[in-house]
């Protein structure tokens, strides 16, 4: 059982410190009434339509406060500027008045910063609620909706930047691996994450172990260091999220550094672009949720990456079908049932078992 004790120790550590793990959806009902009609509202100087929710009500209250403070700030700034340009010494403000007005400007700017952050947070919560209310969202994800959906499906609680997120393990025939998403955040319409993975094989033959570890990384997360960018394409669901379908475009850049524990002594890298489709259905009490995951990717690797996998071409297609279930909202088990590829040696390899603890 070569290196399996190390993998077990890392697994215990990662499950202790991780915050969330993978897609986590629960049965929930939006606060927006199913028969409600949207109302006009001005957002960032543009007319938009929204529904009456607690977040929008608070948003509207804050708009008036922001307008009042911005008017006061503009007035003080203009007064100081005009006075500073007055060449008559008699009209010059006393230093105490100047200091007082400048101090008031700092207070107003600080208050505006706080209110604008609150506005952003309120509208983010509203957007999450809106996405739950709208049954079908397809190819209409801007930065706000994209961020809201990723926050919803990854249980991010509105944080733009997270550490030690999405941790799990996988086991195949003679192989095992552990992956942890070290940092993640939003960049415009994309969710960006950086993760690290350790894989190991129990095979005694070095060439066999090299290929088994390389396939384990390919079939799970891509490499021992992975930069991932996700963009949502579709979100289709029932009103209470008992049934869901989510599609994402996923781009990855992966690197296998020998220093991070690979069988080979040379660097191997790859880039991949593909479509991921996730669908699930749960019991009414959310105690058990069944899911299916289908993905297909175009992969472009270095010569060493190709050699490690034992394939004929460094550019190839690869996809998988995964089935699984989530028990009691927190224990996730998955089974990679089949793989398909333009490389025949990568097709229909052995079943890979995966597990995650959802927080």
């Amino acid at each position: 059982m070569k290196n399996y004790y190390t993998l077990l120790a890392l697994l215990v550590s990662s499950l202790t410190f991780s915050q969330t793990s993978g897609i986590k959806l629960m049965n929930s009902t939006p606060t927006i009434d199913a028969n409600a009609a949207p109302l006009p509202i001005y957002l960032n100087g543009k007319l938009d339509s929204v529904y009456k929710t607690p977040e929008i009500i608070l948003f509207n209250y804050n708009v008036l406060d922001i307008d009042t403070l911005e008017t006061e700030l503009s007035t003080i700034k203009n007064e100081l500027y005009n006075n500073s340009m007055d060449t008559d010494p008699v009209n010059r403000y006393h230093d105490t008045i100047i200091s007082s007005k400048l101090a008031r400007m700092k207070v107003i700017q600080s208050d505006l910063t706080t209110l604008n952050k609150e506005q952003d947070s309120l509208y983010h919560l509203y957007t999450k609620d809106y996405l739950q209310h709208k049954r079908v969202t397809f190819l209409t994800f801007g930065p706000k909706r994209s961020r809201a959906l990723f926050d919803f499906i990854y249980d991010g609680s509105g944080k733009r930047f997270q550490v030690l997120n999405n941790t799990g393990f996988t086991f195949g025939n003679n192989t095992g691996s552990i992956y942890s998403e070290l940092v993640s955040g939003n960049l415009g319409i994309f969710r960006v994450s950086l993760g690290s993975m350790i894989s190991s094989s129990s095979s005694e033959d070095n060439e066999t172990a090299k290929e088994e570890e390389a396939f384990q990384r390919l079939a799970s997360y891509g490499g021992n260091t992975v930069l991932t960018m996700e963009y949502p394409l579709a979100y289709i669901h029932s009103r209470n999220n008992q049934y869901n379908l989510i599609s994402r475009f996923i781009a990855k850049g992966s690197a296998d550094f020998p220093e991070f524990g690979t069988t080979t002594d040379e660097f191997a890298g790859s880039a991949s672009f593909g479509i991921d489709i996730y669908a699930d259905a749960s019991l009414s009490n959310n105690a058990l949720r069944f899911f299916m995951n289908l993905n297909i990717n175009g992969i472009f690797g270095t010569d060493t990456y190709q050699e490690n996998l034992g394939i004929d071409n460094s550019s190839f297609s690869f996809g998988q079908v995964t089935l699984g279930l989530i028990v009691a909202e927190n224990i996730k088990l998955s089974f990679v049932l089949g793989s398909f590829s333009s490389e025949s040696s990568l097709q229909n390899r052995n079943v890979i078992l995966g597990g995650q603890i959802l927080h």
Side-chain angles (χ1 to χ4, degrees):
M1 299 295 288
K2 175 186 174 185
N3 294 332
Y4 267 63
Y5 288 113
T6 302
L7 283 170
L8 182 60
L10 287 169
L11 174 61
V12 173
S13 173
S14 65
L15 294 181
T16 302
F17 294 104
S18 67
Q19 296 175 353
T20 63
S21 184
I23 291 178
K24 181 179 181 179
L25 292 169
M26 292 187 291
N27 297 348
S28 59
T29 303
T31 61
I32 299 173
D33 189 281
N35 300 314
L39 300 170
I41 188 176
Y42 278 96
L43 295 172
N44 300 321
K46 296 181 180 179
L47 188 64
D48 200 353
S49 296
V50 298
Y51 294 89
K52 283 187 287 187
T53 69
E55 290 77 24
I56 289 298
I57 291 171
L58 290 173
F59 187 98
N60 290 339
Y61 276 120
N62 280 357
V63 167
L64 181 59
D65 293 337
I66 290 172
D67 288 344
T68 301
L69 287 173
E70 286 180 341
T71 300
E72 183 183 358
L73 179 63
S74 178
T75 300
I76 295 174
K77 190 180 294 184
N78 288 335
E79 286 178 354
L80 284 174
Y81 180 80
N82 291 335
N83 186 257
S84 70
M85 297 297 290
D86 195 330
T87 57
D88 189 348
V90 176
N91 296 330
R92 177 186 170 89
Y93 287 148
H94 191 274
D95 288 348
T96 56
I97 296 177
I98 297 173
S99 297
S100 176
K101 288 182 177 292
L102 290 174
R104 176 57 185 162
M105 286 177 60
K106 287 185 178 180
V107 171
I108 294 174
Q109 288 169 339
S110 176
D111 290 343
L112 285 173
T113 298
T114 301
L115 283 171
N116 284 321
K117 286 182 179 179
E118 187 175 340
Q119 291 293 78
D120 184 61
S121 177
L122 287 169
Y123 198 76
H124 175 67
L125 292 174
Y126 168 77
T127 306
K128 289 173 66 174
D129 198 28
Y130 173 79
L131 287 176
Q132 285 184 268
H133 167 74
K134 190 176 182 182
R135 304 290 184 85
V136 178
T137 304
F138 181 69
L139 297 180
T140 56
F141 291 91
K144 288 184 173 61
R145 289 186 184 180
S146 179
R147 177 190 165 203
L149 179 63
F150 284 130
D151 188 42
F152 182 65
I153 67 176
Y154 288 116
D155 195 27
S157 303
K159 297 179 180 178
R160 290 202 178 203
F161 180 81
Q162 298 184 71
V163 179
L164 289 177
N165 183 46
N166 191 13
T167 303
F169 66 90
T170 56
F171 287 105
N173 184 29
N174 299 323
T175 59
S177 62
I178 295 171
Y179 175 87
S180 181
E181 191 175 85
L182 302 177
V183 293
S184 63
N186 299 283
L187 182 64
I189 60 175
F190 296 102
R191 179 181 187 267
V192 182
S193 61
L194 177 66
S196 182
M197 177 181 180
I198 295 177
S199 59
S200 180
S201 170
S202 61
S203 297
E204 297 297 330
D205 180 71
N206 189 62
E207 284 299 314
T208 302
K210 180 178 68 175
E211 287 191 18
E212 288 179 344
E213 287 183 17
F215 181 78
Q216 179 76 6
R217 291 191 293 273
L218 169 67
S220 46
Y221 295 100
N224 62 22
T225 303
V226 184
L227 179 66
T228 304
M229 297 181 68
E230 304 174 52
Y231 173 70
L233 300 175
Y235 176 41
I236 304 169
H237 60 95
S238 62
R239 179 165 174 79
N240 62 352
N241 288 113
Q242 190 172 359
Y243 308 98
N244 302 276
L245 186 147
I246 297 169
S247 177
R248 297 165 293 159
F249 168 78
I250 299 180
K252 287 184 180 181
S254 68
D256 288 330
F257 295 104
E259 294 82 2
F260 290 175
T262 59
T263 304
T264 58
D265 297 326
E266 296 183 32
F267 165 83
S270 69
S272 67
F273 306 89
I275 303 296
D276 181 275
I277 298 174
Y278 170 93
D280 70 16
S282 73
L283 302 182
S284 58
N285 60 4
N286 210 54
L288 195 63
R289 183 176 292 269
F290 302 91
F291 69 88
M292 182 277 293
N293 205 180
L294 167 67
N295 64 74
I296 182 167
N297 304 276
I299 301 175
F300 308 88
T302 63
D303 291 340
T304 302
Y305 185 85
Q306 172 189 345
E307 180 185 337
N308 290 347
L309 281 170
I311 56 179
D312 297 328
N313 302 286
S314 59
S315 300
F316 59 98
S317 62
F318 181 79
Q320 294 182 121
V321 177
T322 303
L323 296 179
L325 51 87
I326 301 172
V327 182
E329 301 180 4
N330 290 314
I331 301 173
K332 184 175 184 178
L333 297 175
S334 60
F335 305 86
V336 179
L337 297 183
S339 59
F340 46 93
S341 174
S342 57
E343 293 289 325
S344 58
S345 63
L346 301 180
Q347 297 178 9
N348 297 318
R349 298 282 285 261
N350 41 279
V351 173
I352 296 177
L353 166 67
Q356 297 172 316
I357 302 297
L358 303 175
H359 295 278

